Amino acid sequence: MTFPLPRPVLDAEAGSGPGAFGTLPDWDLSDLYTAPDAPEYAADMAWLETECAAFAAAYEGKLAGLDAPAMAECIRRYEAIETTAGRIMSYAGLRYYQNTVDATRAKLMADAQDRITTFTTPLVFFSLEFNRIDDARYEAVFADPALARYKPVFDRMRAMKPYQLSDELEKFLHDQSVVGAAAWNRLFDETTAGLEFTIDGEVMSLEAATTLLSDHDRAKREAAAHELARVFTAHLKIFSRVHNSLAKEKEIEDRWRKMPTPQTARHLSNDVEPEVVAALRDAVVAAYPRLSHRYYALKARWLGLEKLQIWDRNAPLPTEAPRTIKWDEAQATVMGAYAAFAPEMAEIARPFFEKGWIDAGVKPGKAPGAFAHPTVTTVHPYVMLNYLGKPRDVMTLAHELGHGVHQVLAAGQGEMLSQTPLTLAETASVFGEMLTFRALLDAAKTPAERKALLAGKVEDMINTVVRQIAFYDFECKLHAARASGELTPEDINALWMSVQAESLGPAFEFMPGYETFWAYIPHFVHSPFYVYAYAFGDGLVNALYAAYAGGLPEFQAKYFDMLKAGGSKHHKELLAPFGLDASDPAFWQKGLDMIAGFIDELEAMEA
């Protein structure tokens, strides 16, 4: 049993207040706990210690003999433990990510993680012993109506059976985790949160510095790129050590478990077949010339450049006027797009804005990036943004709010069934982006405005599909290379450049220092091989949106049913009502064709 922290968040007590973007919302974490010293927090921690010991005493060595009613009670108690531990870690983790440089917050999270790991060590037997239940006995017990709904969870658990270690070794790995991957994760988070970049005399955070890469002023973009490279290079030994250690740790565990590839564990947790991921990856790589290579050649002409530099990749179009979008407008845009699709979707999203479920401002110590964390099914999700008033920030809001809506709908499945495999977890987020984009495109008043919107969407899709598959290839190469020995920073730099040159294409010239830009990407550290889920989600949503635009009967009802299912069904079963099948190689071409079609339209505007 593990309780991963939410991916990077800021201080709910330090309000954003009115500013250039209007009044930005802050989190109210009191729905989890009112304070670190709240009696409820202490009570839950004490209950967890007692209940974990009682659960182990009641069930260890006895799972195979339980009848259906007894097994149902066992699962109910296990789920209650997961809920309480998840609530504690959600609070400690979210509070930490609000200000990663605050020592008291770091201590609360580390202490919570350490205590919960200790409390739950006696529960390691559960999955190991469960996987030793005879297949016939397992099928007979889970045929009972009280247990049948849980079967997908335990089917996925039993998929790990061939890779299971001895009970003693599994307990050792569980105990050791707090000073293993979790410790390297913390070092990475605290290092990136503490980075300072000086650009045009202003000291700024990683979030602010990377945002300048999409500034209208090319000189500012160039200055930001060089300063990012300078700071990454100065810290490259730390980042290299983090990646070397995590990759080696994974290689050791995979070897002991006899995992056939470094990617196997991710595919199993995602409940997706390796051949489906391979088909996605191969389709995207084959499409590089007609997608990214073609688009960036077009962009170079728009910018009047022979070659694009890396600071031109996300540059606005020359005809696109600089614009700051206030928070109220961003909210209205996204909520309007959601409501036009289905009023129910907007109603589910409304409390995020009204009840302190979003933390939007950029603040000192706050972790970079954005995410939606589901916490536990008895509370509600929280969304983190670093809102800077850019058009892409509006799309990020649409994206993370989509996650939030999905998490709210899936909560009805309960703690064990609500979590969607990563391959489908990006569906609602990317669909929310597509709804918002289509609403903006329909409202465009001039060809120049339509062109800017189309170009922005193509760039977002390339970042989601091409860039993420390039990231996946980088990770595959890194883990393969690390298996042969320690990697120097220069070795990792070379792996990074090999995939960047291939994916971005001949329109680019790469500045010295860009080879270090792998260093700040959190997914490689927090969730190895996570990144293909973004491309999976984008391709899936493009196919879904084509079905919606084509007038598929009762699309909205089918869509909500899919989100409500959470992790209770396989992707084949979830996509069947839409006439889609991700195992069909032609499936991925539908999504890639949509991106190519947008590029076709942009090229036609040049004629």
Side-chain angles (χ1 to χ4, degrees), residues 302-329:
W302 292 338
L303 296 176
L305 299 169
E306 296 239 345
K307 288 279 188 181
L308 292 176
Q309 299 293 336
I310 202 59
W311 55 83
D312 298 316
R313 185 172 63 84
N314 287 326
L317 302 190
T319 56
E320 191 178 342
R323 183 169 175 241
T324 296
I325 302 169
K326 289 188 177 288
W327 178 253
D328 286 351
E329 183 184 348

mmCIF file of all heavy atoms in Angstrom, residues 302-329:
data_model
loop_
_atom_site.group_PDB
_atom_site.id
_atom_site.type_symbol
_atom_site.label_atom_id
_atom_site.label_comp_id
_atom_site.label_asym_id
_atom_site.label_seq_id
_atom_site.Cartn_x
_atom_site.Cartn_y
_atom_site.Cartn_z
ATOM 1 N N TRP A 302 6.488 32.585 -40.923
ATOM 2 C CA TRP A 302 5.703 33.643 -40.273
ATOM 3 C C TRP A 302 6.597 34.610 -39.501
ATOM 4 O O TRP A 302 6.351 35.815 -39.477
ATOM 5 C CB TRP A 302 4.701 33.041 -39.290
ATOM 6 C CG TRP A 302 3.591 32.246 -39.903
ATOM 7 C CD1 TRP A 302 3.118 32.329 -41.178
ATOM 8 C CD2 TRP A 302 2.823 31.231 -39.256
ATOM 9 N NE1 TRP A 302 2.098 31.449 -41.370
ATOM 10 C CE2 TRP A 302 1.889 30.748 -40.211
ATOM 11 C CE3 TRP A 302 2.823 30.688 -37.978
ATOM 12 C CZ2 TRP A 302 0.968 29.754 -39.921
ATOM 13 C CZ3 TRP A 302 1.910 29.685 -37.678
ATOM 14 C CH2 TRP A 302 0.988 29.230 -38.642
ATOM 15 N N LEU A 303 7.624 34.057 -38.865
ATOM 16 C CA LEU A 303 8.507 34.901 -38.057
ATOM 17 C C LEU A 303 9.629 35.537 -38.877
ATOM 18 O O LEU A 303 10.438 36.303 -38.347
ATOM 19 C CB LEU A 303 9.115 34.078 -36.911
ATOM 20 C CG LEU A 303 8.128 33.528 -35.869
ATOM 21 C CD1 LEU A 303 8.846 32.646 -34.850
ATOM 22 C CD2 LEU A 303 7.398 34.663 -35.149
ATOM 23 N N GLY A 304 9.694 35.190 -40.178
ATOM 24 C CA GLY A 304 10.724 35.765 -41.043
ATOM 25 C C GLY A 304 12.111 35.266 -40.708
ATOM 26 O O GLY A 304 13.105 36.006 -40.855
ATOM 27 N N LEU A 305 12.214 34.003 -40.309
ATOM 28 C CA LEU A 305 13.497 33.445 -39.879
ATOM 29 C C LEU A 305 13.902 32.273 -40.766
ATOM 30 O O LEU A 305 13.063 31.485 -41.199
ATOM 31 C CB LEU A 305 13.406 32.952 -38.425
ATOM 32 C CG LEU A 305 13.068 34.010 -37.366
ATOM 33 C CD1 LEU A 305 12.743 33.327 -36.034
ATOM 34 C CD2 LEU A 305 14.228 34.988 -37.199
ATOM 35 N N GLU A 306 15.209 32.187 -41.036
ATOM 36 C CA GLU A 306 15.715 31.024 -41.772
ATOM 37 C C GLU A 306 15.658 29.781 -40.901
ATOM 38 O O GLU A 306 15.343 28.687 -41.361
ATOM 39 C CB GLU A 306 17.170 31.278 -42.203
ATOM 40 C CG GLU A 306 17.327 32.428 -43.169
ATOM 41 C CD GLU A 306 17.950 31.991 -44.489
ATOM 42 O OE1 GLU A 306 18.505 30.898 -44.556
ATOM 43 O OE2 GLU A 306 17.841 32.772 -45.436
ATOM 44 N N LYS A 307 16.018 29.960 -39.634
ATOM 45 C CA LYS A 307 15.994 28.868 -38.671
ATOM 46 C C LYS A 307 15.333 29.352 -37.383
ATOM 47 O O LYS A 307 15.523 30.497 -36.968
ATOM 48 C CB LYS A 307 17.419 28.403 -38.339
ATOM 49 C CG LYS A 307 18.113 27.643 -39.447
ATOM 50 C CD LYS A 307 17.674 26.184 -39.453
ATOM 51 C CE LYS A 307 18.499 25.360 -40.442
ATOM 52 N NZ LYS A 307 18.057 23.951 -40.461
ATOM 53 N N LEU A 308 14.563 28.462 -36.763
ATOM 54 C CA LEU A 308 13.996 28.773 -35.461
ATOM 55 C C LEU A 308 15.015 28.439 -34.369
ATOM 56 O O LEU A 308 15.712 27.424 -34.452
ATOM 57 C CB LEU A 308 12.734 27.948 -35.208
ATOM 58 C CG LEU A 308 11.504 28.241 -36.065
ATOM 59 C CD1 LEU A 308 10.385 27.258 -35.723
ATOM 60 C CD2 LEU A 308 11.018 29.663 -35.868
ATOM 61 N N GLN A 309 15.102 29.304 -33.373
ATOM 62 C CA GLN A 309 15.852 28.991 -32.161
ATOM 63 C C GLN A 309 14.860 28.412 -31.143
ATOM 64 O O GLN A 309 13.653 28.528 -31.294
ATOM 65 C CB GLN A 309 16.521 30.245 -31.612
ATOM 66 C CG GLN A 309 17.519 30.881 -32.571
ATOM 67 C CD GLN A 309 18.741 30.001 -32.815
ATOM 68 O OE1 GLN A 309 19.083 29.149 -31.986
ATOM 69 N NE2 GLN A 309 19.397 30.202 -33.962
ATOM 70 N N ILE A 310 15.395 27.814 -30.110
ATOM 71 C CA ILE A 310 14.507 27.150 -29.155
ATOM 72 C C ILE A 310 13.578 28.156 -28.482
ATOM 73 O O ILE A 310 12.467 27.819 -28.083
ATOM 74 C CB ILE A 310 15.328 26.322 -28.133
ATOM 75 C CG1 ILE A 310 14.444 25.246 -27.525
ATOM 76 C CG2 ILE A 310 15.960 27.200 -27.076
ATOM 77 C CD1 ILE A 310 13.852 24.265 -28.508
ATOM 78 N N TRP A 311 14.009 29.404 -28.388
ATOM 79 C CA TRP A 311 13.139 30.411 -27.768
ATOM 80 C C TRP A 311 12.045 30.892 -28.712
ATOM 81 O O TRP A 311 11.217 31.710 -28.337
ATOM 82 C CB TRP A 311 13.958 31.591 -27.239
ATOM 83 C CG TRP A 311 14.859 32.253 -28.267
ATOM 84 C CD1 TRP A 311 14.509 33.197 -29.177
ATOM 85 C CD2 TRP A 311 16.259 32.025 -28.461
ATOM 86 N NE1 TRP A 311 15.586 33.581 -29.935
ATOM 87 C CE2 TRP A 311 16.680 32.877 -29.507
ATOM 88 C CE3 TRP A 311 17.201 31.195 -27.848
ATOM 89 C CZ2 TRP A 311 18.010 32.909 -29.958
ATOM 90 C CZ3 TRP A 311 18.511 31.231 -28.298
ATOM 91 C CH2 TRP A 311 18.904 32.072 -29.323
ATOM 92 N N ASP A 312 12.020 30.360 -29.929
ATOM 93 C CA ASP A 312 10.941 30.684 -30.866
ATOM 94 C C ASP A 312 9.854 29.614 -30.886
ATOM 95 O O ASP A 312 8.803 29.800 -31.505
ATOM 96 C CB ASP A 312 11.500 30.839 -32.290
ATOM 97 C CG ASP A 312 12.503 31.965 -32.404
ATOM 98 O OD1 ASP A 312 12.229 33.054 -31.850
ATOM 99 O OD2 ASP A 312 13.561 31.760 -33.030
ATOM 100 N N ARG A 313 10.098 28.491 -30.222
ATOM 101 C CA ARG A 313 9.169 27.351 -30.324
ATOM 102 C C ARG A 313 7.761 27.730 -29.887
ATOM 103 O O ARG A 313 6.777 27.385 -30.544
ATOM 104 C CB ARG A 313 9.694 26.175 -29.482
ATOM 105 C CG ARG A 313 8.877 24.909 -29.624
ATOM 106 C CD ARG A 313 9.535 23.727 -28.924
ATOM 107 N NE ARG A 313 9.636 23.926 -27.488
ATOM 108 C CZ ARG A 313 8.658 23.656 -26.621
ATOM 109 N NH1 ARG A 313 7.492 23.201 -27.054
ATOM 110 N NH2 ARG A 313 8.826 23.850 -25.331
ATOM 111 N N ASN A 314 7.642 28.438 -28.778
ATOM 112 C CA ASN A 314 6.322 28.835 -28.281
ATOM 113 C C ASN A 314 6.058 30.324 -28.453
ATOM 114 O O ASN A 314 5.218 30.891 -27.756
ATOM 115 C CB ASN A 314 6.183 28.456 -26.796
ATOM 116 C CG ASN A 314 6.021 26.960 -26.593
ATOM 117 O OD1 ASN A 314 5.416 26.282 -27.422
ATOM 118 N ND2 ASN A 314 6.578 26.437 -25.513
ATOM 119 N N ALA A 315 6.762 30.957 -29.388
ATOM 120 C CA ALA A 315 6.571 32.391 -29.617
ATOM 121 C C ALA A 315 5.179 32.663 -30.177
ATOM 122 O O ALA A 315 4.662 31.888 -30.984
ATOM 123 C CB ALA A 315 7.617 32.908 -30.597
ATOM 124 N N PRO A 316 4.546 33.766 -29.755
ATOM 125 C CA PRO A 316 3.271 34.153 -30.373
ATOM 126 C C PRO A 316 3.496 34.541 -31.833
ATOM 127 O O PRO A 316 4.622 34.857 -32.244
ATOM 128 C CB PRO A 316 2.833 35.378 -29.553
ATOM 129 C CG PRO A 316 3.714 35.399 -28.349
ATOM 130 C CD PRO A 316 4.979 34.709 -28.728
ATOM 131 N N LEU A 317 2.431 34.532 -32.618
ATOM 132 C CA LEU A 317 2.546 34.979 -34.001
ATOM 133 C C LEU A 317 2.789 36.483 -34.043
ATOM 134 O O LEU A 317 2.336 37.223 -33.163
ATOM 135 C CB LEU A 317 1.265 34.661 -34.777
ATOM 136 C CG LEU A 317 0.828 33.185 -34.833
ATOM 137 C CD1 LEU A 317 -0.301 33.034 -35.845
ATOM 138 C CD2 LEU A 317 1.980 32.282 -35.188
ATOM 139 N N PRO A 318 3.486 36.978 -35.084
ATOM 140 C CA PRO A 318 3.744 38.427 -35.174
ATOM 141 C C PRO A 318 2.476 39.272 -35.200
ATOM 142 O O PRO A 318 2.465 40.415 -34.735
ATOM 143 C CB PRO A 318 4.510 38.560 -36.498
ATOM 144 C CG PRO A 318 5.062 37.213 -36.777
ATOM 145 C CD PRO A 318 4.107 36.232 -36.173
ATOM 146 N N THR A 319 1.395 38.692 -35.738
ATOM 147 C CA THR A 319 0.129 39.437 -35.829
ATOM 148 C C THR A 319 -0.704 39.348 -34.566
ATOM 149 O O THR A 319 -1.752 39.972 -34.452
ATOM 150 C CB THR A 319 -0.710 38.903 -37.002
ATOM 151 O OG1 THR A 319 -0.903 37.489 -36.818
ATOM 152 C CG2 THR A 319 -0.024 39.151 -38.331
ATOM 153 N N GLU A 320 -0.249 38.538 -33.614
ATOM 154 C CA GLU A 320 -1.010 38.308 -32.387
ATOM 155 C C GLU A 320 -0.661 39.381 -31.361
ATOM 156 O O GLU A 320 0.472 39.467 -30.894
ATOM 157 C CB GLU A 320 -0.673 36.917 -31.823
ATOM 158 C CG GLU A 320 -1.575 36.452 -30.703
ATOM 159 C CD GLU A 320 -1.201 35.056 -30.236
ATOM 160 O OE1 GLU A 320 -0.507 34.336 -30.971
ATOM 161 O OE2 GLU A 320 -1.617 34.709 -29.117
ATOM 162 N N ALA A 321 -1.628 40.232 -31.040
ATOM 163 C CA ALA A 321 -1.376 41.336 -30.103
ATOM 164 C C ALA A 321 -1.176 40.808 -28.692
ATOM 165 O O ALA A 321 -1.894 39.909 -28.257
ATOM 166 C CB ALA A 321 -2.547 42.313 -30.129
ATOM 167 N N PRO A 322 -0.186 41.359 -27.958
ATOM 168 C CA PRO A 322 -0.009 40.942 -26.556
ATOM 169 C C PRO A 322 -1.283 41.205 -25.756
ATOM 170 O O PRO A 322 -1.932 42.235 -25.919
ATOM 171 C CB PRO A 322 1.136 41.843 -26.064
ATOM 172 C CG PRO A 322 1.821 42.313 -27.299
ATOM 173 C CD PRO A 322 0.777 42.384 -28.360
ATOM 174 N N ARG A 323 -1.632 40.262 -24.909
ATOM 175 C CA ARG A 323 -2.882 40.401 -24.184
ATOM 176 C C ARG A 323 -2.789 39.728 -22.830
ATOM 177 O O ARG A 323 -2.293 38.610 -22.723
ATOM 178 C CB ARG A 323 -4.014 39.748 -25.004
ATOM 179 C CG ARG A 323 -5.383 39.910 -24.374
ATOM 180 C CD ARG A 323 -6.477 39.494 -25.340
ATOM 181 N NE ARG A 323 -7.758 39.541 -24.654
ATOM 182 C CZ ARG A 323 -8.550 38.502 -24.464
ATOM 183 N NH1 ARG A 323 -8.225 37.325 -24.946
ATOM 184 N NH2 ARG A 323 -9.688 38.627 -23.821
ATOM 185 N N THR A 324 -3.243 40.454 -21.801
ATOM 186 C CA THR A 324 -3.340 39.871 -20.465
ATOM 187 C C THR A 324 -4.803 39.546 -20.193
ATOM 188 O O THR A 324 -5.677 40.406 -20.325
ATOM 189 C CB THR A 324 -2.819 40.857 -19.404
ATOM 190 O OG1 THR A 324 -1.428 41.085 -19.622
ATOM 191 C CG2 THR A 324 -3.022 40.293 -18.004
ATOM 192 N N ILE A 325 -5.044 38.311 -19.841
ATOM 193 C CA ILE A 325 -6.420 37.851 -19.595
ATOM 194 C C ILE A 325 -6.646 37.785 -18.095
ATOM 195 O O ILE A 325 -5.984 37.030 -17.384
ATOM 196 C CB ILE A 325 -6.648 36.470 -20.238
ATOM 197 C CG1 ILE A 325 -6.372 36.545 -21.745
ATOM 198 C CG2 ILE A 325 -8.072 35.978 -19.965
ATOM 199 C CD1 ILE A 325 -6.301 35.197 -22.422
ATOM 200 N N LYS A 326 -7.576 38.602 -17.619
ATOM 201 C CA LYS A 326 -7.867 38.615 -16.186
ATOM 202 C C LYS A 326 -8.585 37.319 -15.782
ATOM 203 O O LYS A 326 -9.195 36.641 -16.604
ATOM 204 C CB LYS A 326 -8.708 39.845 -15.831
ATOM 205 C CG LYS A 326 -7.924 41.160 -15.923
ATOM 206 C CD LYS A 326 -8.730 42.324 -15.391
ATOM 207 C CE LYS A 326 -7.916 43.613 -15.432
ATOM 208 N NZ LYS A 326 -6.850 43.627 -14.402
ATOM 209 N N TRP A 327 -8.483 37.028 -14.502
ATOM 210 C CA TRP A 327 -9.017 35.772 -13.976
ATOM 211 C C TRP A 327 -10.520 35.634 -14.245
ATOM 212 O O TRP A 327 -10.987 34.553 -14.636
ATOM 213 C CB TRP A 327 -8.734 35.677 -12.481
ATOM 214 C CG TRP A 327 -9.301 34.441 -11.851
ATOM 215 C CD1 TRP A 327 -10.378 34.348 -11.019
ATOM 216 C CD2 TRP A 327 -8.821 33.103 -12.012
ATOM 217 N NE1 TRP A 327 -10.598 33.039 -10.649
ATOM 218 C CE2 TRP A 327 -9.657 32.253 -11.241
ATOM 219 C CE3 TRP A 327 -7.755 32.544 -12.735
ATOM 220 C CZ2 TRP A 327 -9.454 30.884 -11.184
ATOM 221 C CZ3 TRP A 327 -7.572 31.160 -12.671
ATOM 222 C CH2 TRP A 327 -8.411 30.354 -11.903
ATOM 223 N N ASP A 328 -11.281 36.700 -14.066
ATOM 224 C CA ASP A 328 -12.736 36.622 -14.274
ATOM 225 C C ASP A 328 -13.056 36.224 -15.712
ATOM 226 O O ASP A 328 -13.995 35.450 -15.952
ATOM 227 C CB ASP A 328 -13.405 37.964 -13.944
ATOM 228 C CG ASP A 328 -13.475 38.222 -12.450
ATOM 229 O OD1 ASP A 328 -13.171 37.293 -11.677
ATOM 230 O OD2 ASP A 328 -13.822 39.359 -12.050
ATOM 231 N N GLU A 329 -12.283 36.756 -16.668
ATOM 232 C CA GLU A 329 -12.517 36.415 -18.071
ATOM 233 C C GLU A 329 -12.145 34.955 -18.338
ATOM 234 O O GLU A 329 -12.855 34.246 -19.072
ATOM 235 C CB GLU A 329 -11.709 37.331 -18.992
ATOM 236 C CG GLU A 329 -11.962 37.063 -20.471
ATOM 237 C CD GLU A 329 -11.100 37.906 -21.401
ATOM 238 O OE1 GLU A 329 -10.467 38.865 -20.931
ATOM 239 O OE2 GLU A 329 -11.062 37.569 -22.609
#
